[in-house]
Amino acid sequence: MRARLMEATVELLVERGFAGTTTTLVSERAGVSRGAQLHHFPTKNALVVAAVEHLTERRGEELSRAVDALPAGGNRTRAVVAMLGDHFASPVFAAALELWVAARTDEALLAAVAPLEQRVGREAHRMTAAALGADESRPGVRELVQATLDLVRGLGLASTISDDSTRRRRILGEWADVLDREMARA
Amino acid sequence: MRARLMEATVELLVERGFAGTTTTLVSERAGVSRGAQLHHFPTKNALVVAAVEHLTERRGEELSRAVDALPAGGNRTRAVVAMLGDHFASPVFAAALELWVAARTDEALLAAVAPLEQRVGREAHRMTAAALGADESRPGVRELVQATLDLVRGLGLASTISDDSTRRRRILGEWADVLDREMARA
């Protein structure tokens, strides 16, 4: 039941945005009684934060496994960077974006979203550094890994209002080559 | 009067978000009668799109002049990239973000925002390429200019819910050095 509520909440955030996501719509879509829903998540804020956290973790684990399954060498950096780009252009990113933007002007929501954002950010960094085989003890390498994540976040934002996939692929292909040169140099 | 309406609208988008910005609040803050406001901007959508366009252009021109005033050589790339980073972490970016995110789930708003976003994007690209002295006829250079803008957009998004300025400066300092090496290489 919890999983159904989480999926329904994220779907509604993607389709209708934060303002258009109501607890009534979520319980209808999830096929869960209002009473049961309120028992688990007494407020809309509790529900949306839990839902974005749940889906972000699940999709993060999927991404992590996909990256682990990539062959070593060759075009590995290109494949990793392309996978990251697709991940940040996915519906779960749109749902997270709705939550972040709503939290910007809602103190109570921000108090729940800020620590979530920090945890997710740290986990994304750790996973990306490992996937790229980045030696972060070398000067500048940590910043390159962070820049990669900020770049895919910016591309993800661009992709929310238009299909930006061709441009994204071209930019990330170039960036992967730059990363390879820079990491060899560091 | 138009300028006062534009400033008041952007201020309210920054403080209260898209959902919390009402035409009544705007006319109160701008000190403009409801009748006069409705004469110029018959709908909330018309008002917010015009306001974000107006302020984006004004700040873009300010940025452009600041960049033009930079001395050539030395740390010019670092200075340009730092200025871009600050620009995308400013309140006008937060107002534009509110508009983009609202447009994602509002077809009528999207019809007005998508062409605005394209115009602003082209102008930002042209200005950044000129500021960096980027020769976009060389392979990969155009993608690096685009990546620079997507990076500062991603950093701008991160800065909306926490003060990210120290991390931003470190990443953009490294990014500028990468740009210099890559543009020398291209």
Side-chain angles (χ1 to χ4, degrees):
Chain A
M1 189 192 74
R2 197 175 187 276
R4 284 213 310 279
L5 284 170
M6 306 286 86
E7 296 277 355
T9 305
V10 167
E11 279 175 27
L12 283 163
L13 284 171
V14 172
E15 288 168 27
R16 303 192 183 211
F18 184 84
T21 298
T22 64
T23 54
T24 311
L25 282 173
V26 171
S27 62
E28 278 172 20
R29 182 169 301 203
V32 167
S33 77
R34 291 282 289 155
Q37 176 177 321
L38 288 169
H39 177 71
H40 286 277
F41 303 103
T43 63
K44 171 177 168 179
N45 281 2
L47 180 64
V48 292
V49 171
V52 169
E53 179 159 26
H54 175 82
L55 269 287
T56 303
E57 278 173 6
R58 244 186 58 182
R59 298 281 178 269
E61 284 156 12
E62 286 169 17
L63 175 63
S64 206
R65 279 194 296 275
V67 164
D68 286 347
L70 284 173
N75 289 319
R76 188 179 162 92
T77 304
R78 275 189 172 241
V80 168
V81 167
M83 278 180 179
L84 274 174
D86 291 345
H87 183 67
F88 276 79
S90 71
V92 173
F93 176 78
L97 180 63
E98 290 288 340
L99 190 58
W100 293 334
V101 170
R104 200 183 64 76
T105 51
D106 178 337
E107 244 176 272
L109 188 56
L110 183 58
V113 168
L116 166 61
E117 205 273 331
Q118 284 206 331
R119 274 201 306 284
V120 170
R122 267 198 302 269
E123 183 49 31
H125 185 99
R126 190 203 58 70
M127 195 269 281
T128 304
L132 293 171
D135 177 357
E136 297 198 303
S137 66
R138 293 179 170 200
V141 170
R142 185 170 171 75
E143 285 74 16
L144 288 173
V145 174
Q146 290 186 313
T148 302
L149 284 163
D150 286 298
L151 173 62
V152 291
R153 191 189 299 121
L155 288 164
L157 181 54
S159 79
T160 58
I161 65 167
S162 60
D163 177 13
D164 199 40
S165 52
T166 306
R167 190 182 77 95
R168 184 170 72 242
R169 265 192 284 274
R170 222 179 46 238
I171 292 173
L172 291 179
E174 281 296 322
W175 177 244
D177 293 347
V178 173
L179 270 181
D180 278 339
R181 282 192 286 273
E182 288 288 325
M183 290 198 295
R185 185 187 164 278
Chain B
M1 188 192 73
R2 196 175 187 276
R4 284 211 310 279
L5 284 171
M6 305 286 86
E7 297 276 356
T9 304
V10 167
E11 280 174 25
L12 283 163
L13 283 171
V14 172
E15 289 167 26
R16 303 191 182 212
F18 184 84
T21 298
T22 64
T23 54
T24 312
L25 282 173
V26 171
S27 63
E28 278 172 19
R29 182 170 299 203
V32 167
S33 77
R34 293 282 289 156
Q37 177 179 320
L38 288 168
H39 176 72
H40 286 278
F41 303 103
T43 64
K44 172 178 167 179
N45 280 2
L47 181 64
V48 293
V49 172
V52 169
E53 178 159 26
H54 174 82
L55 269 287
T56 303
E57 278 174 6
R58 244 186 58 183
R59 299 281 179 268
E61 284 157 12
E62 286 169 16
L63 174 64
S64 205
R65 280 193 296 274
V67 164
D68 285 348
L70 284 174
N75 290 318
R76 188 180 162 92
T77 304
R78 276 190 170 239
V80 169
V81 167
M83 278 180 179
L84 274 174
D86 290 344
H87 183 67
F88 276 79
S90 71
V92 173
F93 176 78
L97 180 63
E98 290 288 339
L99 191 58
W100 293 336
V101 170
R104 201 183 63 76
T105 51
D106 178 336
E107 244 177 271
L109 187 56
L110 184 58
V113 168
L116 166 61
E117 205 273 332
Q118 284 205 331
R119 275 200 306 282
V120 170
R122 267 197 303 268
E123 183 50 32
H125 186 99
R126 190 203 58 71
M127 195 270 280
T128 303
L132 293 172
D135 177 358
E136 297 198 304
S137 67
R138 294 180 169 199
V141 171
R142 186 172 170 75
E143 284 74 16
L144 284 175
V145 173
Q146 290 185 313
T148 301
L149 285 163
D150 286 299
L151 172 64
V152 291
R153 191 189 298 121
L155 288 165
L157 181 53
S159 78
T160 58
I161 65 167
S162 60
D163 177 13
D164 199 38
S165 52
T166 306
R167 190 182 78 95
R168 184 170 73 242
R169 266 191 284 273
R170 222 178 46 237
I171 292 173
L172 291 179
E174 283 295 323
W175 184 270
D177 293 347
V178 171
L179 274 181
D180 278 339
R181 281 193 286 274
E182 287 291 322
M183 290 199 295
R185 184 186 165 280

